[in-house]
Every structure is written in structure tokens, then in C-alpha cells.
Amino acid sequence: MHTQVFVDDPVKIGQNFAGKHIISIRQFDPQSLEILFHKTSTIKRCLQNGEQGEALAGKVITLLFFEPSSRTFSSFSAAIKRLGGQTIEYQNPMQTSSAIKGETLEDTVRVFEGYSDGIVMRHFEEGAPARAAKALSRIPIMNAGDGSGEHPTQALLDMFTLYEKFGRLDHLKGVIAGDLLYGRTVHSLLKGLSFYPGNTFYLLSPKELRLPRELFEEYTKARVTLVEIEKETDIPTDCQVWYWTRVQKERLADPSTYEVLKNRFIVTKKLLKEKGNADMIIMHPLPRVGEIDPAIDTDPRAYYLTHEVPNGMYVRMALLSLVFGK
Ligand code: CP
């Protein structure tokens, strides 16, 4: 398969996903997202009807996860197997691979290029998947989360979930709460929503965890309106979505900061009654560590476990089919 070599400005997807590295949500646009979401809906319907996929038959994909993961690792693994492919699964390579002997990231991915048809990589360093892509000459790599940089496939599943619910990705109003400084899912999601007109998002965070200024400026120059707030009382009552996130403890230099900042904003029945509405949905990329009261889980508006989790596998199946499929 021909692979487009990744350069600093990521290769745009356009209408053709085949053989491309997936590094950033910036590679997408409304046209490529329409293709992906159409494919996702088809795959979801087929799977729910008991049909099996074969798009990855004969392919082996390496899952190389340098940071812990439950959902992203397992949903990629399930997606590959449900498409007839096989996996080499490497979790925690800093403890179990030759990385511990000092092997470079570039050499590590070149080795797996010798064994497999593609790599899905999570890394604790921002920009690591882009670096790895430059070292590869034959196979594509997918970014499964890089430090506090991006999490493009999480944004794709979040956007698909919004699209399924509201039938559009424009003219949405929402709250995004929590750790907007280090939260890579928020960085990718807001960029993706900035492709569409008329979106307004209220950013609720402690001032220490505000969205990085360069991203705030970039997104507001695009098509999304951002309003920073610091109190739940400032949440408008007509939002379509509340997207909550955890404070990224592992990225804070001082653990005592975490104790001060964690769970500043919690979704409770009381808050939903005061500021919610009947038509909204509640999202969270997970894991949650106290930001959403479990009493909310049975509320039909709670989409994190019932919709985002399964959609993660369907969206990744669609993406894998388009990038690696015949
Ligand atoms: N949402 C998400 O990335 O979860 P994991 O860290 O468990 O993969």
C-alpha cells in the first residue's frame, strides 16, 4: 500500500483515507467527516444485524501503547478483530520492550513496520506519533492520544455521537468542563467543531486549567464562539450538550495542585435540575474520577457509557476500513 509520508503540516484526508497517517483532527474537514460517519453508520447497522466485516482480513496491526488505556486500546483491538484482522498488542513498552534499554521511538516503530501493516500508538509525549510517522516509509500510524496534545479518534467518536443525536454538527450550544489545559480530547473536539458554523461553547474550568491561549485564539478565529466561565451559575439553560472531563493528574508537576483542582465542577442531579433541559445530552470521554455523580448514569441523557463507548468501536472500525481496507 502506498503511504503518504507525514510532514509537519499533516496530510489532509480529503476524500481519500487510504494509506494515510492519522495524526491530528486538523487533517479532516466536513467532507471527510461525512464519508467517515456514513461508513460508521453502515458498519454499526451491519454489526447490529450480526454481519461480520472482512476489510482487514490478512492484515496485522500493532497496538503500541506507552500510556495506560482501557477504552482506546480495547476498542481498537476489538475493531481490528471484528474486521477480520489480527493484532500485536504492546501495552506499557517502557517496562517490557527494548525501549527500557534505550531504543529510540524511531527504531521501535521501524521494527514493528517489519512485522505489521499499521501501527496504532498512544504516547506520553506530545508530537510522538508525528515523529514516528516520519520514521515510517511503508505503513500508516494512527495517533491514539499524545500527551496533552491531541486525541483525534476520541474527537471523531464524540462528533459522531453528537451527529447521531442532533443530525448536524453546526449551530450547537454546549458546555465543556474540567481540565481544558491538559485535556487532549477537548483540544481535538473543539478543533473539529470549529469546522462548522454557528457553534457556541462555554468553557467551564478553574483559571489554572483554562484552554491554552494559542488554541483559544486559533479556534475563535475559525468558526466556533468560545465563552470562558468559572462558575456553574454561568451555564446557560439551553445547551444541547454538557461535555465533562477529569483533571489530568498525571500531567500536573505538583500532586498537591491536583487536590486543590480536582472535582471543582461535578454533574449532580441538583445541577441538572437547575441548569439542564430535557433535550440535552451529557458526555465524558472517560475515565471519570468523581466529575459525574453515578446517580446520573440511569438518566437517559447520560451518553458516556451507553453511546460514546460503543461508538468508539464503530468509528474506529470505519476509520481502519478506510485507511487499511482493500
Ligand atoms: N477516552 C479514553 O481515551 O480512554 P482511555 O484512556 O481508557 O483509552
Side-chain angles (χ1 to χ4, degrees), residues 4-290:
Q4 267 191 274
V5 176
F6 179 80
V7 288
D8 288 330
D9 185 19
V11 174
K12 299 281 185 218
I13 304 297
Q15 295 184 57
N16 182 15
F17 290 64
K20 286 181 179 162
H21 302 300
I22 305 295
I23 304 295
S24 167
I25 198 73
R26 289 172 165 74
Q27 292 169 263
F28 292 81
D29 59 23
Q31 192 182 29
S32 48
L33 290 171
E34 191 182 328
I35 293 169
L36 179 72
F37 293 159
H38 183 262
K39 183 93 177 164
T40 306
S41 298
T42 305
I43 284 176
K44 185 169 180 175
R45 202 167 45 247
C46 287
L47 225 64
Q48 287 173 342
N49 289 337
E51 296 170 35
Q52 293 299 317
E54 291 186 357
L56 264 62
K59 304 267 187 205
V60 176
I61 309 290
T62 299
L63 303 183
L64 194 54
F65 275 55
F66 290 84
E67 255 194 353
S69 166
S70 298
R71 280 146 293 274
T72 314
F73 184 87
S74 306
S75 62
F76 263 116
S77 177
I80 292 161
K81 287 164 186 153
R82 286 185 185 276
L83 291 167
Q86 297 183 68
T87 53
I88 299 171
E89 304 202 345
Y90 229 128
Q91 277 187 299
N92 212 4
M94 290 312 284
Q95 270 76 48
T96 57
S97 81
S98 285
I100 201 167
K101 302 174 199 163
E103 185 167 70
T104 64
L105 179 68
E106 285 78 359
D107 281 358
T108 300
V109 295
R110 279 191 202 117
V111 168
F112 287 104
E113 186 170 38
Y115 305 147
S116 56
D117 302 291
I119 296 174
V120 177
M121 191 173 81
R122 170 169 289 188
H123 204 282
F124 47 85
E125 275 177 24
E126 190 172 336
R131 258 177 61 210
K134 285 182 190 166
L136 294 168
S137 57
R138 194 182 60 79
I139 64 169
I141 187 166
M142 289 188 183
N143 179 3
D146 61 319
S148 53
E150 278 218 44
H151 196 343
T153 62
Q154 178 72 42
L156 294 173
L157 81 88
D158 289 335
M159 292 171 78
F160 179 73
T161 302
L162 286 166
Y163 183 68
E164 260 195 327
K165 168 67 182 171
F166 298 108
R168 65 178 201 277
L169 288 166
D170 57 276
H171 297 92
L172 295 172
K173 187 169 180 177
V175 180
I176 299 188
D179 185 348
L180 314 185
L181 178 62
Y182 297 115
R184 59 193 173 202
T185 69
V186 171
H187 300 167
S188 293
L189 177 60
L190 278 173
K191 179 67 189 174
L193 290 168
S194 77
F195 299 154
Y196 299 87
N199 288 320
T200 301
F201 280 84
Y202 289 76
L203 306 180
L204 175 63
S205 70
K207 63 178 181 319
E208 298 89 336
L209 297 176
R210 285 191 308 168
L211 193 70
R213 292 303 85 188
E214 66 276 15
L215 294 185
F216 185 89
E217 280 160 29
E218 178 192 338
Y219 300 161
T220 46
K221 269 188 205 146
R223 306 170 91 176
V224 67
T225 301
L226 299 178
V227 184
E228 292 186 306
I229 57 176
E230 286 180 30
K231 303 188 296 292
E232 287 109 323
T233 46
D234 294 333
I235 296 175
T237 53
D238 58 347
C239 287
Q240 275 102 27
V241 57
W242 287 9
Y243 187 97
W244 242 251
T245 65
R246 73 184 170 96
V247 174
Q248 305 264 306
K249 181 182 187 179
E250 65 274 31
R251 311 209 192 282
L252 295 170
D254 178 2
S256 65
T257 314
Y258 178 70
E259 296 305 319
V260 175
L261 297 177
K262 73 174 184 185
N263 296 341
R264 189 76 65 83
F265 307 110
I266 301 176
V267 180
T268 59
K269 284 190 171 179
K270 180 171 178 287
L271 185 63
L272 262 177
K273 196 167 177 209
E274 285 169 7
K275 290 291 182 179
N277 61 72
D279 302 321
M280 62 176 280
I281 60 173
I282 306 157
M283 297 174 70
H284 193 307
L286 304 177
R288 66 172 154 181
V289 283

